[in-house]
Amino acid sequence: PSPPSPPSPPAPAPGSHSVTFDSKLSATYSVSEDSVSFTVTLADTGWIGLGVSSDGSMGSASKGSDVVVCSAQTVKRHWITGYDVNDTGVDVPGATCTQADGKTVLSFSRKLAATGAHERATETTGNTTLIWAYHPGTLGFHDKNCGAAKVNLTSTKPTPTPSPPSP
Protein backbone atom coordinates (compact mmCIF):
# COMPACT_ATOMS: atom_id res chain seq x y z
CA PRO A 1 0.00 0.00 0.00
CA SER A 2 1.13 3.56 -0.65
CA PRO A 3 1.97 5.81 2.31
CA PRO A 4 -0.80 8.12 3.52
CA SER A 5 -0.94 11.57 1.95
CA PRO A 6 -0.02 14.51 4.16
CA PRO A 7 -3.05 16.24 5.66
CA SER A 8 -4.52 19.05 3.58
CA PRO A 9 -4.57 22.53 5.08
CA PRO A 10 -7.92 23.40 6.63
CA ALA A 11 -10.51 24.91 4.30
CA PRO A 12 -10.61 28.69 4.48
CA ALA A 13 -13.33 30.26 6.59
CA PRO A 14 -16.29 31.79 4.75
CA GLY A 15 -15.19 35.06 3.12
CA SER A 16 -11.55 34.07 3.06
CA HIS A 17 -9.37 32.65 0.32
CA SER A 18 -6.37 30.37 0.16
CA VAL A 19 -3.09 30.13 -1.71
CA THR A 20 -0.58 27.27 -1.68
CA PHE A 21 2.99 28.46 -2.12
CA ASP A 22 4.66 25.03 -2.15
CA SER A 23 4.23 21.59 -0.58
CA LYS A 24 4.96 22.93 2.94
CA LEU A 25 3.72 26.53 2.95
CA SER A 26 0.18 27.83 2.44
CA ALA A 27 -1.94 30.77 3.54
CA THR A 28 -5.52 31.81 4.01
CA TYR A 29 -6.44 35.47 3.83
CA SER A 30 -9.44 37.75 3.95
CA VAL A 31 -9.69 41.29 2.67
CA SER A 32 -11.70 44.05 4.33
CA GLU A 33 -12.27 47.61 3.20
CA ASP A 34 -8.79 48.80 4.21
CA SER A 35 -6.79 45.77 5.36
CA VAL A 36 -5.92 42.15 4.71
CA SER A 37 -5.55 39.42 7.35
CA PHE A 38 -3.26 36.45 6.73
CA THR A 39 -2.81 33.09 8.43
CA VAL A 40 0.30 31.43 7.03
CA THR A 41 0.98 27.78 7.88
CA LEU A 42 4.30 25.97 7.53
CA ALA A 43 4.18 22.16 7.80
CA ASP A 44 7.42 22.23 9.82
CA THR A 45 8.92 24.16 12.72
CA GLY A 46 11.02 27.13 11.70
CA TRP A 47 10.68 30.72 10.58
CA ILE A 48 8.29 32.16 7.98
CA GLY A 49 8.43 35.38 5.95
CA LEU A 50 5.60 36.83 3.83
CA GLY A 51 5.77 40.21 2.17
CA VAL A 52 4.83 42.56 -0.64
CA SER A 53 7.35 43.11 -3.44
CA SER A 54 7.20 45.29 -6.55
CA ASP A 55 8.79 42.64 -8.77
CA GLY A 56 8.86 39.30 -6.93
CA SER A 57 12.40 39.74 -5.65
CA MET A 58 13.49 40.00 -2.04
CA GLY A 59 14.63 43.62 -2.34
CA SER A 60 12.30 44.89 -5.10
CA ALA A 61 15.29 45.98 -7.23
CA SER A 62 16.78 47.81 -4.19
CA LYS A 63 13.55 49.85 -3.80
CA GLY A 64 12.41 47.80 -0.80
CA SER A 65 10.06 44.94 0.02
CA ASP A 66 7.71 45.02 3.00
CA VAL A 67 8.08 41.66 4.79
CA VAL A 68 6.50 40.24 7.96
CA VAL A 69 8.62 37.56 9.66
CA CYS A 70 7.58 34.98 12.25
CA SER A 71 10.57 33.67 14.20
CA ALA A 72 11.04 32.43 17.76
CA GLN A 73 7.41 33.26 18.69
CA THR A 74 7.85 36.92 17.66
CA VAL A 75 6.50 38.79 14.64
CA LYS A 76 8.42 41.69 13.11
CA ARG A 77 7.86 43.80 10.00
CA HIS A 78 11.01 44.49 7.98
CA TRP A 79 11.93 46.78 5.07
CA ILE A 80 14.32 44.75 2.91
CA THR A 81 16.33 46.28 0.06
CA GLY A 82 18.66 43.40 -0.75
CA TYR A 83 19.53 39.87 0.25
CA ASP A 84 20.13 40.74 3.90
CA VAL A 85 17.76 41.91 6.61
CA ASN A 86 19.55 45.03 7.82
CA ASP A 87 17.03 46.30 10.34
CA THR A 88 15.70 45.05 13.67
CA GLY A 89 12.12 45.24 12.43
CA VAL A 90 9.08 46.66 14.16
CA ASP A 91 6.54 44.74 16.19
CA VAL A 92 3.28 43.90 14.40
CA PRO A 93 0.39 44.66 16.78
CA GLY A 94 -1.98 41.72 17.28
CA ALA A 95 0.20 39.31 15.29
CA THR A 96 1.04 35.81 16.52
CA CYS A 97 3.78 33.30 15.74
CA THR A 98 3.21 29.83 17.18
CA GLN A 99 4.85 26.44 16.87
CA ALA A 100 2.99 23.29 17.87
CA ASP A 101 2.44 19.77 16.59
CA GLY A 102 5.23 20.09 14.01
CA LYS A 103 3.76 23.26 12.45
CA THR A 104 4.52 26.97 12.51
CA VAL A 105 1.63 29.42 12.14
CA LEU A 106 1.92 33.17 11.48
CA SER A 107 -1.22 35.31 11.79
CA PHE A 108 -1.24 39.05 11.13
CA SER A 109 -3.18 41.90 9.56
CA ARG A 110 -1.83 44.79 7.54
CA LYS A 111 -3.29 47.85 5.86
CA LEU A 112 -3.77 47.63 2.10
CA ALA A 113 -2.27 51.13 1.76
CA ALA A 114 1.26 51.99 2.83
CA THR A 115 1.14 54.02 6.03
CA GLY A 116 4.85 54.83 6.26
CA ALA A 117 8.00 55.28 4.17
CA HIS A 118 9.08 51.69 4.80
CA GLU A 119 5.84 50.00 3.81
CA ARG A 120 4.71 48.81 0.40
CA ALA A 121 1.04 49.18 -0.56
CA THR A 122 -0.90 46.33 -2.13
CA GLU A 123 -2.16 46.90 -5.67
CA THR A 124 -5.49 48.73 -5.90
CA THR A 125 -6.35 46.91 -9.15
CA GLY A 126 -5.11 43.54 -10.32
CA ASN A 127 -2.53 41.35 -8.63
CA THR A 128 -0.20 42.11 -5.72
CA THR A 129 3.13 40.29 -5.79
CA LEU A 130 3.64 38.43 -2.53
CA ILE A 131 7.06 37.01 -1.70
CA TRP A 132 7.52 34.15 0.74
CA ALA A 133 10.33 32.25 2.40
CA TYR A 134 10.85 29.82 5.25
CA HIS A 135 13.44 27.53 6.74
CA PRO A 136 13.55 25.04 9.59
CA GLY A 137 15.24 26.23 12.77
CA THR A 138 16.34 29.75 13.61
CA LEU A 139 16.08 32.79 11.36
CA GLY A 140 18.71 32.73 8.64
CA PHE A 141 19.22 31.93 4.97
CA HIS A 142 16.14 30.32 3.40
CA ASP A 143 18.07 28.23 0.84
CA LYS A 144 15.60 27.25 -1.93
CA ASN A 145 12.51 27.67 0.28
CA CYS A 146 11.32 30.90 -1.33
CA GLY A 147 9.27 32.29 -4.17
CA ALA A 148 6.65 34.75 -5.32
CA ALA A 149 2.94 34.59 -6.09
CA LYS A 150 0.67 37.13 -7.75
CA VAL A 151 -2.55 37.40 -5.73
CA ASN A 152 -5.56 39.62 -6.34
CA LEU A 153 -6.26 41.31 -3.00
CA THR A 154 -8.87 43.65 -4.51
CA SER A 155 -11.47 41.09 -5.51
CA THR A 156 -13.93 39.06 -3.50
CA LYS A 157 -12.81 36.07 -5.58
CA PRO A 158 -9.01 36.38 -5.96
CA THR A 159 -7.11 34.05 -8.26
CA PRO A 160 -3.60 33.26 -7.00
CA THR A 161 -1.01 32.69 -9.70
CA PRO A 162 2.20 31.08 -8.40
CA SER A 163 5.41 32.38 -9.97
CA PRO A 164 8.69 30.50 -10.24
CA PRO A 165 11.08 31.12 -7.32
CA SER A 166 13.30 34.14 -7.74
CA PRO A 167 17.07 33.71 -7.36
Side-chain angles (χ1 to χ4, degrees), residues 3 24-25 33 46 60 78 98 127 140-141 157:
K24 287 190 169 189
L25 191 70
E33 186 174 310
S60 292
H78 298 273
T98 58
N127 291 327
F141 182 59
K157 295 184 179 181

Side-chain angles (χ1 to χ4, degrees), residues 63 66 77 79 110-121:
K63 295 177 183 170
D66 182 0
R77 190 171 188 169
W79 183 249
R110 56 156 289 155
K111 297 287 185 190
L112 296 171
T115 57
H118 289 153
E119 293 182 10
R120 187 167 286 286

Side-chain angles (χ1 to χ4, degrees), residues 9-163:
S16 66
H17 310 280
S18 64
V19 59
T20 299
F21 298 111
D22 73 1
S23 64
K24 287 190 169 189
L25 191 70
S26 62
T28 58
Y29 59 96
S30 58
V31 181
S32 69
E33 186 174 310
D34 67 345
S35 64
V36 58
S37 297
F38 290 97
T39 299
V40 185
T41 303
L42 173 64
D44 202 344
T45 53
W47 63 266
I48 303 170
L50 182 69
V52 177
S53 168
S54 66
D55 61 4
S57 71
M58 190 167 161
S60 292
S62 299
K63 295 177 183 170
S65 291
D66 182 0
V67 180
V68 174
V69 176
C70 158
S71 175
Q73 281 74 45
T74 62
V75 181
K76 298 279 188 178
R77 190 171 188 169
H78 298 273
W79 183 249
I80 300 172
T81 57
Y83 288 110
D84 295 316
V85 178
N86 291 320
D87 68 357
T88 56
V90 295
D91 291 328
V92 179
T96 60
C97 174
T98 58
Q99 293 183 338
D101 303 321
K103 292 190 302 189
T104 304
V105 178
L106 162 64
S107 295
F108 70 97
S109 294
R110 56 156 289 155
K111 297 287 185 190
L112 296 171
T115 57
H118 289 153
E119 293 182 10
R120 187 167 286 286
T122 63
E123 296 298 324
T124 56
T125 60
N127 291 327
T128 295
T129 302
L130 298 179
I131 56 173
W132 55 270
Y134 64 87
H135 201 268
T138 58
L139 184 60
F141 182 59
H142 51 67
D143 198 25
K144 295 182 181 192
N145 305 318
C146 62
K150 293 181 184 282
V151 179
N152 188 334
L153 299 176
T154 65
S155 169
T156 56
K157 295 184 179 181
T159 52
T161 308
S163 301

